[in-house]
Amino acid sequence: MITLALSKGRIFDETLPLLRAAGIEVLDDPDQSRKLILATNQSDLRVLVVRATDVPTYVQYGGADLGITGKDTLLEHGSLGLYQPLDLRIAQCRISVAVRDGFDYADAVQQGSRLKVATKYVGISREFFAAKGVHVDLIKLYGSMELAPLTGLADAIVDLVSTGNTLKANHLVEVERIMDISARLVVNQAALKLNQAPIRRMIDAFATAVAR
Ligand code: ATP
Ligand code: PRP
């Protein structure tokens, strides 16, 4: 039995067409069912429904053989024990710095100044600002980052941007793009060695679906 870890929502929704292209159907809808282990039309493949931020953990410790996770989540988690064979080119967005409309970011990031940055992405932010030589105080949040500059909690946020609608609706502007993000297939390295043929088949099926 091969186990694939997915998170509900956009990763699950955008993975379904890739699975379908390989002739794989998931037999339950995680939005309709409380089941967390979903059967597929392949007797040797099941899907685990886990929190997006937990996908790398499940795969790293072998709770799942494979998983699909955003590059953002993977960078924050670290990739110990994870083989990353494929960029699936789904869940595409970017990770950016944003500030309140009217805030003088260029002035604030001058060498020597300290910037208060609220983010779920503490690791990515620390590395990005360190490389620029900007001193930052990082404030860890788990969601609704957009509120931080509006309430005085922080000067800036580091968050995902896709259409830009969330920033716009909250009177924030994107001032720097840190990197492009998309979802990656991750594989437990030990599982790949032990169960090579079926896992390789899954990797090849995803590769073919992405190339279509
Ligand atoms: P958790 O529930 O664990 O906190 P989450 O709420 O961030 O995770 P999702 O919103 O489903 O989970 O995001 C999963 C992944 O999808 C993110 O890690 C990112 O790679 C990508 N993503 C997030 N927001 C967008 C977006 N607006 N457009 C495209 N891709 C996105
Ligand atoms: C993500 C991200 C932004 C938003 C950006 O949130 O945290 O808030 O998408 O997308 P946009 O540029 O198209 O507006 P998501 O929709 O995943 O909600 P969440 O905060 O519940 O994760």
Side-chain angles (χ1 to χ4, degrees):
M1 176 66 73
I2 297 298
T3 304
L4 171 68
L6 295 177
S7 54
K8 269 210 255 195
R10 72 172 46 86
I11 296 279
F12 187 88
D13 297 345
E14 295 189 29
T15 298
L16 282 189
L18 300 178
L19 291 174
R20 266 190 205 124
I24 299 166
E25 294 288 339
V26 182
L27 301 180
D28 283 292
D29 175 354
D31 287 330
Q32 305 296 328
S33 157
R34 299 291 300 165
K35 280 189 199 169
L36 298 174
I37 302 179
L38 312 180
T40 72
N41 64 346
Q42 315 285 309
S43 57
D44 64 344
L45 176 70
R46 61 184 189 166
V47 170
L48 298 190
V49 180
V50 305
R51 277 287 293 264
T53 40
D54 290 336
V55 168
T57 308
Y58 270 87
V59 179
Q60 178 183 0
Y61 292 106
D65 302 300
L66 307 107
I68 296 180
T69 181
K71 183 181 174 187
D72 50 327
T73 306
L74 202 51
L75 287 174
E76 284 297 309
H77 176 87
S79 22
L80 195 70
L82 297 175
Y83 169 52
Q84 301 173 47
L86 272 182
D87 178 350
L88 297 173
R89 300 200 217 128
I90 57 170
Q92 291 189 342
C93 53
R94 55 195 185 270
I95 185 162
S96 294
V97 183
V99 298
R100 225 177 44 243
D101 198 3
F103 179 82
D104 191 347
Y105 177 72
D107 183 57
V109 296
Q110 275 176 6
Q111 294 279 350
S113 61
R114 280 196 92 83
L115 194 71
K116 270 196 287 177
V117 178
T119 186
K120 180 173 159 185
Y121 301 104
V122 170
I124 294 172
S125 304
R126 184 179 293 115
E127 200 171 306
F128 174 73
F129 287 108
K132 286 168 67 75
V134 175
H135 296 290
V136 286
D137 293 318
L138 293 168
I139 301 165
K140 168 90 184 183
L141 291 178
Y142 294 86
S144 301
M145 258 81 78
E146 295 83 5
L147 281 174
L150 306 178
T151 55
L153 187 68
D155 303 311
I157 60 171
V158 169
D159 195 11
L160 302 175
V161 182
S162 173
T163 59
N165 289 342
T166 308
L167 292 182
K168 206 166 166 195
N170 292 291
H171 313 289
L172 301 179
V173 289
E174 186 176 5
V175 286
E176 286 204 82
R177 178 191 282 239
I178 299 179
M179 70 179 82
D180 288 334
I181 296 291
S182 55
R184 311 292 152 130
L185 181 66
V186 291
V187 182
N188 177 286
Q189 280 171 346
L192 179 59
K193 285 198 189 108
L194 284 171
N195 228 345
Q196 202 159 42
I199 294 179
R200 273 272 160 229
R201 267 201 304 277
M202 276 302 291
I203 297 171
D204 292 346
F206 274 116
T208 305
V210 172
R212 272 156 74 123

